[in-house]
Structure formats: structure tokens, C-alpha cells
Amino acid sequence: MNKKSDYNQLIYTDWILIETAFDPDQLHSRETIFTIGNGYLGTRGSFEEGYIRALPATFINGVYDHVPVVYTELANCPDWLPLILNINGDRFRFHEGEILQYDRQLDLRQGILSRSVRWCSPTGQTIDIEFERFASLADQHVLGQRCQITPVNFDGVVEIQASINGYPENQGFNHWEAIDQGKTAAGIWLHSRTRGSRIDIGMAARVVLLGTESALQVHTAPGYPTITATFLATPQQTVTVEKVVTVFTSREISQPVSAAQEKLAHLPDYITLRQANAQAWDEVWHYSDVAIEGDSKAAFAIRYNLFQLLIAAPRHDEKVSIPAKTLSGFGYRGHIFWDTEIFILPFFIFTQPALGRNLLSYRYHTLNGARRKASHYGYKGAMYAWESAVTGDEVTPRWSLPSDFYGNDIRIWCRDHEIHISSDISYAVWYYWQATGDHEWMQRCGAEIILDTAIFWASRVEFNSEQDRYEILGVIGADEYHEFVHNNTFTNRIVQWHLEKAVIVNDWLHQSFPERAKELDEQLQLNPETKSQWQQIAAKLWIPYDSSTGLIEQFQGFFQLEDINLNDYEPRTQSMQAILGIEKTNKLQVLKQPDVLMLLYMMRELGDFPYNQKSLQANWDYYAPRTDITYGSSLGPAIHAILASDLGKRAEAYQRFMQAAMIDLEDTRGNTADGIHGANAGGIWQAVVFGFGGIKLRDSRPAANPHLPQGWTGLRFKLHWRGEWHEFNLRPQITQGESHKGLILFAPSSSPIHGVIFDLDGVLTDTAEYHYLAWRKLADEEGIEFNRGANEALRGISRRASLMLIIKNKKYSESQIQAMLARKNRYYVEMIANITPKDLLPGAIALLDELRQQGIKIAIGSASKNAQMVVERLGIADQVDAIADGYSVQQPKPAPDLFLYAAEQLGVPPKQCLVIEDAAAGIEAALAAGMWAVGLGPCERVGAAHVVLPSLAGVTWAGLQAQLSKAVV
């Protein structure tokens, strides 16, 4: 299905982007969006014949060179595209003659860029020309180019010139020295070297002419080796020019020129190479495709953005990463930011985990640069650069040069104060480990990253003795409109999270890989005191959070800044900082991008503090209207789309998603010419999968809770989780209304039962004793009285609610509460590690088997966040259709949300569901959901249920139905 864009003659099909007219005003942005690549290199969509003011570029990942002011940049490599046509003496070029027909297509499925032109020369001769190019995904060192020439109304002489241009520029700066060039039996070759970094490049090219007889000649003008051919053309006769190029650098091989020549000599023909490329793309799309049904524009947009990520990801090199503008433009000089880890990496972790591992390994190989930065600023450990390149040293420019002659230079403070990146990288390491179970990489690389950056934070935080808390002063948070602030909540909380995980990783390493642990202890000077210090800092690091409202202050003093109504400045085409100036914007409650909301997004997957529905709603209401979501940062819209989905704001979620999806295709921010917005492309995938797909991660599998935008009839994608692939084919679902706020208890209708939802603890197995022992151990450590009688009050309620009952009126900070919750869970997990199917309670397995035989759907509805693990260890995962656990909903029992979610996962209406529970809170939740309820235990605890039984021992489905039929409706 085709979708015509309102933006300058673009058509979107399922897989192909079509440009139907050439617009010189869009030259540079179109060069960006028609970029092709293969992870080793990227080539902008410039014309083969050249064009005035064009910005052609081929960037090879990792080929950086020195440049004044900005330290280093990706060097624009020798151009492999030049293909000049002379038609009876008239040179083919777009700014001369007349373009009669024009069509340019980017085929995402095969990674092929093509262009079809009917051109009338200044002397009136009309010719059809078709170009095609690809960067082989099957062999990263191979590039293919083809030109087909068909005269329409003339006989004449046509000359072709196929070249390698050794004089590329980075917007006026040439990084290359010409070393040598020449010809071989196969064609031509070029040898160049970067001026500062001394990286050698070898390129070789051959040309094959089909459809005519002509001798090929080689011309070796300095820095511009060329193959030429001249032939007599006749009307309707098609002549094909096939050009194949090979490229190597000294980064991957010691003799790149010889390697390029050798490979070129043994390559098959152009068609065979193109077919191999297409097959490689088929394999990639098999796992990475996202298919949207019912919205052709969105369907193309998601594939387009994923294509741009796939062609920028290093497939065979773990010492490079994806630059902020990918390999498609000169923006940000090819530097790497937190964009890769937080926005881009999830797509690769869950669809191309080997590439995700490469991207994280880059951070391991640049640890020494991070250590040098920490040392420079007087700190310990590893402090990652805000912008990095090859070595990991800081390459953020110190100054931004003005665009007019009399303007002042602008100091760039991100290099000094935007330091949350060290924890952002550790966050990515942790989630890669959780998703893949890659213990080998974790012990070899990941643990060192997390531990050494934790050492940095221990030296960076400051203790406020008057407030008895740790603080982080003088930072820039995710929101870059405010420089040099104190106690930015995003930074403080991600550091706290980081230190908590560092303790876990350190313990795991000592238990699982003691030799590596010993090695790192010696290398990083780790000892038990270090671990205690991390725990103390995490417990006392200040988080400006109001528990009564759920509102979070972005940083200390933010609420005292002057407020602003962004609607007063509409319509506009600039950022608020451009309109108001840096100093004025710094004093206002206006955000460049999500900051508090970004924190909530990063904590949402596991429901970590401060993510909960109350906090999300409060902070959305406060911060979303104050965020410059249109012209602030491109990182914002996708994150807003995900959180809006969480809040049930489907229309706004879709609006923000499409805003993100079309940033480059429609150049909505006016800077696509600088390159693809890589972080935004990654955020788009997250918005679809985590937002609209509602994916939540579990120990054994990812689970979906879809809320598709209006008009979407289907959403399909695959996710890789711990060695297995999970396919999702999501369709629109009838959603439940709002939760019953009053928890009014009532009996369901007489509809037949098609789904049974089991609580876990006390129903199918008895882990209550383990919970009690874990709580008692925690209480003993805190000096709190706790016994079995007190434990009875905890039955059926959430972990946090249980802790609140245990500590009573004793005062703890939110961070201390979070630390205690983590400790209790750790104790519990350790205790249940040895659970087996023998721990199923009497009657459980027999009833489960009978229900399966009767075709009744089965779900687990447990408040525990460890339910998935327990189900696996009990050996009943194959008998369960869905699991609703402590991660699934925000409101715990006695709210009905958990059971409503379970019913939705089963695809069974609530009135056709039966809940089997052993806690009063669970029975109340089941009745509030409009479901049948069976209580196990004494009547004083579960007497509100329709049927009360002592246990499942001897219970049959037929007998249970008989008792339910007697219940009062």
C-alpha cells in the first residue's frame, strides 16, 4: 500500500521510499535520508555525477582524525561514487539541461538505492539513465554501483568516467594525504593516509561494460584514479556500467591496499554480489522487522528508522560504536554520546544481541580514557566522557564558535558537568546482562565497567553533615537548558540505582567467578569497606521526592524558578533557548527534554522507585507542559509517547510517536542535513514495542500488554530473551474500564467460567515461610520486633505495603526504604532457590491437569515480583497461559487491577473468570473485578468468597462447579 506524503513529493510504501521530484532546496537533507551502509561504513545519498553545493561523504566507523577546536572527527573518506557521463560532448548534470522524469527509491528490504532519470541535454538529446548502489551487508568491504544508459532520440558518442575521488572534505577540511595510486589487471586503486591519526585506507575498483563493445582505459590523475570508456550509442539500446569497489583500512588489517586489490581480483560479478547482499538483509529483517498493520505511514517510518540503525551498527568491530548522527552526516563530528546506550541499544539487545554486545564492548575498550578523565578532574575510578571517539577521552568541544563575526564564543559545559553518562552506560550493561544471560561477557567486561564507575561516584558525591545525606552538586541533568545545578534528581537516582547494582554485581562475581573477582579487587583496589561505602551512599543519597503527592523536583530549587507558559510563544520554529537566550532560559521552568520523566521511563521496566502510577501522573501533569517537546531535543517525543501510553493517553502517545517517526523523513526540525537522529530512531522502536506493545520483561520471557493506537489493526515483532525468540502478533483488544475506586463487592453473572486465576503463595505452593524468614532477617538487622503473628497481616499484600506495616512509625528515607526492599527480596530469592515440583501443595497439580483437559485457560495472579521464577521452579510453566505479577500493574490487591490484567492476558471477560485465593485482600480484589472467588483457609480470613475450602486437596473441577452453582448471585 502506498502513502503519499505532504512533504515534497515523497511516497511511502511498505518497504520503499520514493522521491518523485528533485528539489535543490532539500539537497542536503535528502542526501542524509537516502544514506546507505553496512555497519562498516555509511555513504550519503549524493549524486554519482555530483551537484553544486553537495555534501557527499562516506564515513568508515572508527576512522577519526584530528581537527582544531573539536579535537577529532570522523574523516570523510575517499569517495567511491563518481560516475561521469558525457553525451555527445554535453556533461550530464542536474543544473544544466532539463529533467523530464525523475524517480529515486530507497529499498529498505535490500539496502539498495536507485535513481531513474530522463534528461534532455542542452543540445536537445534525450536519454534515460538509471543508477543503483549498495554497500554489501554480506561482505562489509564490498561496494556495488551500476548505471544503465538508454538513448531515447539520438545516435551519438557516450563517454563514461568511473573514479575514486581522493580529495574528500569535511566541510572545508581535507583529512587525507595522497600516498600512492595505480592500476592493476582488475582496475584501479588508491592509497591514502589521515594527516593526524595516520590511518591508511586502500580502495580498489573495477568496471565492467555490458551491451556494447569498448576498450577500458585507466587515467591516474593525482588523487583521482579513473577508468574511462567511450562507445557509440543508438536509440533504445541499453548499455550497462557495473562498478565494484573494495575498501580496507589499517584499523582492521596491516596492508589495506593489498587486501583491497586481492579481494577485488576474486569477487564474482555484480549480480551475484547484489544477491548476496539481499540475502544478508533478509536474515537481518527476519529478526528485526516491526510490522504495523492499518497505518502505512507509521509502518514505513518504523522500518526506515530501524534501517538507519542497522546500517550504522558495527557487525565485526567491538572497538567502535554508533555516533549520534550515525554514519550519515557531519553533525557532532561523529562523536558517541549516551544516545547509543539508552536510546539505541535496546533495539539491538532484543533483536541483534551480538551487535548489542559489540556496542557495549566499545565502552569496555575505552575504560582507560574514562579513567584518565576521572583523574584529570581529581576523582577516582572511571568517569566516562560526554562525547567520545576512539580512546574514550573527552572530545566534547570546549567552545562553540559563533555563526557571525562579532558574536561571543559559547562555553560548552557538558564535558565538565553532564556526568550521568557513567551510570547510563552501567544501566545499559545491566540490562544487556539481564536480557541475554551473557555471564562470560559480564565477568570479562561488564562487571569492570559497573564497578569502576561506582568507584568514581563514591569519590564524586559529597556528604552534607547538617542534613545527614549525600548530595551531587554542580551537574547538568538530562535537561540541558539548566547548567550547573545541585541534586538533579535524574542524576542522583540513577547513581543510587548504579551503586545498588554494583553491590549485586560484586557479590555475583565473587560467587561465580572468584578468580576474576580477585583480579578486579587488586586492579581496582576493592575491599569490603568499598562495598559498605556504596551501600551507605545509596541509602543516604538525597532524592527530592514528595511521597504525599508523588511529585519530584527536577533539581534543588527548580520549583523556585520563574514559571512559563509555552503556549504564549506559539507558533514558533525555534527552540525556547534560541528565542529567550541561554541565561534567561536557565532561570525558567522550561525543559529542553524530559528529565524527571526520563528518570521515570528508565525506572519503569521493573517498577523501580520512583516509578508508579501516582508519581507518573503527577509528574506528567507538571513537567509535560513545561517541556520544549517540539524544538528542544529530538530525544523527547519518543519518551513522551511511551509514558503517555502508560497513562492511557493513546491519542497523545500516537501524536508524539509520529512526531518522532518523521523527524528525519520530513525534516521537521530543519537539521536533517547534519545526519540521521540516531537516538530518536532507537526511541521510535522503544515507543512501538514498550509503549504500544506494552512489553514488560520477566525472568523467563517478555510479556505484552498492548494498547494499540486507533486504526492499528495489528502489530508484529520478535524479541530475543535469554537465548530464545518470542514472537508477538498483537491485535486491538477491548480494554477494561477504570479500576473500581470504591472496591464495591458484588457477585458475577451466571456466565460460564472459561478462565481460572490462581494466587501462588498459599494456593499452589507455600512460600509464605520463606517470606516470613526473609522479613524476620531484615527486621532483626533493623532492630524491629517482628513475629509470626505480625506476619499474618502481610498475607496477600505487596512488598512495599508489607514493609510499611513492619516499620510502623519508624522514620526512614525513601532511599533507605528502597534499599530494605531490595535486601528482603535478595534474602527471599536466596531461600527459594531450591524450590522443586515437590513443593506444590496437595491437589494443585491434579486440578491444573483437569483444567487443561477441559480447555480452561489458566493464569497466575500473584503480588510477588518473583512469581515467574517460582512457577518455573515448580515445573508448571507449561500449564500456565499467563502470569500477572508484581510487575504487571501499579495498584496491588485489594485493587482489582492484577486480576483484570490476568483476564486480559487470557482473553477471557472478567465475569467468566474464577479466582482462587488464600488472602482477604485477594478475595476483595477478585470480587471488585466482578469475578467468581474461591477462598482457601479460615472463614475469618476468606469468608467473603463465594466458596470457602480448607485447601485444594481432593478438589475437582466438577465438584468446584457444583459448589459455585449454589452460590448466591
Side-chain angles (χ1 to χ4, degrees), residues 276-340:
N277 169 68
Q279 183 177 349
W281 272 109
D282 279 344
E283 294 173 3
V284 167
W285 284 120
H286 176 73
Y287 296 109
S288 295
D289 185 29
V290 173
I292 296 171
E293 299 173 14
D295 186 342
S296 58
K297 187 174 182 178
F300 176 81
I302 180 67
R303 284 174 171 149
Y304 174 81
N305 282 279
L306 297 186
F307 173 81
Q308 292 296 338
L309 294 181
L310 288 165
I311 65 175
R315 312 184 75 78
H316 307 289
D317 191 344
E318 62 174 32
K319 293 185 178 180
V320 295
S321 188
I322 298 179
K325 294 294 186 180
T326 66
L327 299 175
S328 62
F330 298 93
Y332 293 118
R333 311 284 178 167
H335 296 170
I336 291 94
F337 293 69
W338 73 314
D339 303 32
T340 305

Side-chain angles (χ1 to χ4, degrees), residues 483-726:
E483 299 174 332
F484 204 77
V485 304
H486 300 324
N487 292 309
N488 167 252
T489 304
F490 176 89
T491 303
N492 285 21
R493 175 58 184 129
I494 198 69
V495 170
Q496 182 187 63
W497 180 96
H498 180 176
L499 294 175
E500 293 167 350
K501 295 302 183 283
V503 171
I504 295 173
V505 169
N506 188 54
D507 289 345
W508 167 79
L509 201 62
H510 279 84
Q511 294 170 7
S512 303
F513 297 92
E515 291 185 5
R516 177 61 172 156
K518 182 180 178 182
E519 178 185 342
L520 286 181
D521 285 348
E522 294 175 357
Q523 177 185 340
L524 305 181
Q525 298 181 6
L526 294 171
N527 53 52
E529 288 72 27
T530 307
K531 175 180 171 181
S532 297
Q533 184 188 25
W534 292 344
Q535 291 173 319
Q536 182 183 29
I537 293 171
K540 291 190 174 185
L541 190 57
W542 185 39
I543 309 295
Y545 171 75
D546 186 340
S547 59
S548 64
T549 64
L551 192 61
I552 301 165
E553 189 170 21
Q554 182 171 307
F555 55 80
Q556 190 175 353
F558 180 84
F559 290 153
Q560 280 68 57
L561 298 180
E562 181 183 345
D563 208 350
I564 185 173
N565 184 350
L566 296 185
N567 291 329
D568 294 342
Y569 295 86
E570 298 294 346
R572 58 189 172 92
T573 57
Q574 292 179 293
S575 72
M576 292 306 299
Q577 190 179 72
I579 293 171
L580 300 172
I582 294 175
E583 292 187 10
K584 176 64 174 176
T585 307
N586 199 42
K587 298 175 182 177
L588 297 172
Q589 291 190 41
V590 58
L591 286 64
K592 179 179 180 181
Q593 68 191 71
D595 193 296
V596 168
L597 294 179
M598 187 71 204
L599 171 64
L600 291 172
Y601 161 71
M602 289 178 66
M603 296 292 114
R604 74 184 283 276
E605 194 52 59
L606 296 179
D608 287 340
F609 171 79
Y611 183 90
N612 58 59
Q613 204 68 15
K614 175 182 176 182
S615 183
L616 176 57
Q617 186 69 63
N619 288 285
W620 175 273
D621 291 344
Y622 193 88
Y623 288 106
R626 292 168 171 82
T627 303
D628 187 0
I629 201 68
T630 51
Y631 291 101
S633 170
S634 63
L635 307 185
I639 300 304
H640 272 217
I642 297 169
L643 297 181
S645 291
D646 287 357
L647 289 168
K649 299 176 180 289
R650 298 194 186 197
E652 185 165 0
Y654 180 74
Q655 177 189 5
R656 294 303 172 212
F657 163 71
M658 289 305 296
Q659 178 186 345
M662 306 310 293
I663 277 178
D664 288 316
L665 285 168
E666 296 186 352
D667 195 15
T668 56
R669 301 173 62 84
N671 62 354
T672 298
D674 295 336
I676 293 294
H677 293 77
N680 176 72
I684 291 165
W685 180 87
Q686 295 187 56
V688 171
V689 172
F690 298 145
F692 301 140
I695 290 294
K696 296 284 187 179
L697 305 178
R698 300 293 182 266
D699 286 334
S700 65
R701 66 180 185 200
N705 178 25
H707 22 83
L708 305 185
Q710 185 175 4
W712 286 22
T713 57
L715 172 61
R716 291 180 284 110
F717 54 87
K718 294 183 178 72
L719 297 178
H720 188 267
W721 178 258
R722 297 188 180 178
E724 295 184 357
W725 285 99
H726 300 266

